[in-house]
Amino acid sequence: MKIIANNKKVYNDYTVEKTYEAGIVLKGSEIKSVRMGKVSLLDSYGKLNSKGEIFIVNMHISKYENAHSVEGKYDERASRKLLLHKLEIKRIKEALQEKGYSLVPTKIYFKGNYVKVELGLVKGKKNYDKRHALKEKTQKREVDKMLKGRV
């Protein structure tokens, strides 16, 4: 598994309840840009449409320089369809109807020859939750440092 892009901000701003692995529909030139690592997941999110399909919105994939575009225009932040099983879509739909849940991509990676997106079903953190998580992280780091010093 080769990770292409990571969305580290998700773990700081949200509590990840569950993750899903989804395929993504890309054009030929987009897959080449992804292979080169020209992808950004910042400010992107998952959206469920009326037909029961999930799309990733606002994910940035840069234009491939050597691509010959027929129409001449390329939207780097176009919505892209995600491929999930019906049962997974049903579970996500039920969770999104609850108050406070969102669907956010956490990372994009290659699994074999296929590009996969890991989606997190998340709930927003309050400022005091963020401070508490930071405090726990620094305490754990100090304990680890002390234990390594003894050995």
Side-chain angles (χ1 to χ4, degrees):
M1 187 169 79
K2 180 186 171 192
I3 296 175
I4 300 161
N6 234 342
N7 194 353
K8 295 177 186 175
K9 192 175 179 185
V10 170
Y11 293 100
N12 185 39
D13 294 343
Y14 302 101
T15 303
V16 179
E17 303 283 328
K18 186 165 176 144
T19 59
Y20 295 95
E21 181 182 73
I24 185 167
V25 177
L26 297 172
K27 298 176 190 170
S29 62
E30 289 176 334
I31 192 72
K32 290 181 181 183
S33 288
V34 169
R35 285 193 191 279
M36 293 174 65
K38 297 187 175 185
V39 180
S40 175
L41 294 174
L42 291 177
D43 299 329
S44 60
Y45 59 95
K47 186 175 182 181
L48 190 72
N49 72 356
S50 60
K51 294 180 183 178
E53 300 169 330
I54 296 181
F55 285 84
I56 190 166
V57 180
N58 214 17
M59 181 175 77
H60 183 273
I61 298 178
S62 296
K63 184 178 179 181
Y64 184 62
E65 299 89 30
N66 299 328
H68 296 286
S69 150
V70 176
E71 54 284 339
K73 293 184 180 178
Y74 175 72
D75 187 11
E76 295 177 337
R77 295 201 177 267
S79 297
R80 293 166 178 92
K81 186 176 179 179
L82 296 177
L83 306 171
L84 290 157
H85 292 282
K86 285 184 181 182
L87 185 62
E88 289 177 325
I89 292 173
K90 182 181 175 188
R91 288 181 185 154
I92 290 170
K93 183 179 180 180
E94 289 171 358
L96 289 177
Q97 288 174 348
E98 290 183 38
K99 188 175 181 181
Y101 281 100
S102 299
L103 195 61
V104 180
T106 57
K107 62 183 164 186
I108 184 167
Y109 56 92
F110 278 105
K111 188 173 183 182
N113 289 330
Y114 298 105
V115 176
K116 300 288 183 176
V117 176
E118 184 181 81
L119 295 168
L121 193 60
V122 298
K123 209 169 201 176
K125 280 187 184 178
K126 303 286 183 202
N127 280 336
Y128 57 84
D129 290 335
K130 292 179 190 178
R131 286 192 297 265
H132 183 69
L134 184 64
K135 184 178 176 183
E136 286 179 352
K137 191 176 179 181
T138 54
Q139 287 175 348
K140 184 180 180 208
R141 191 177 316 139
E142 289 174 1
V143 169
D144 289 342
K145 191 184 278 187
M146 292 179 88
L147 290 175
K148 286 182 181 179
R150 282 188 173 171
V151 175

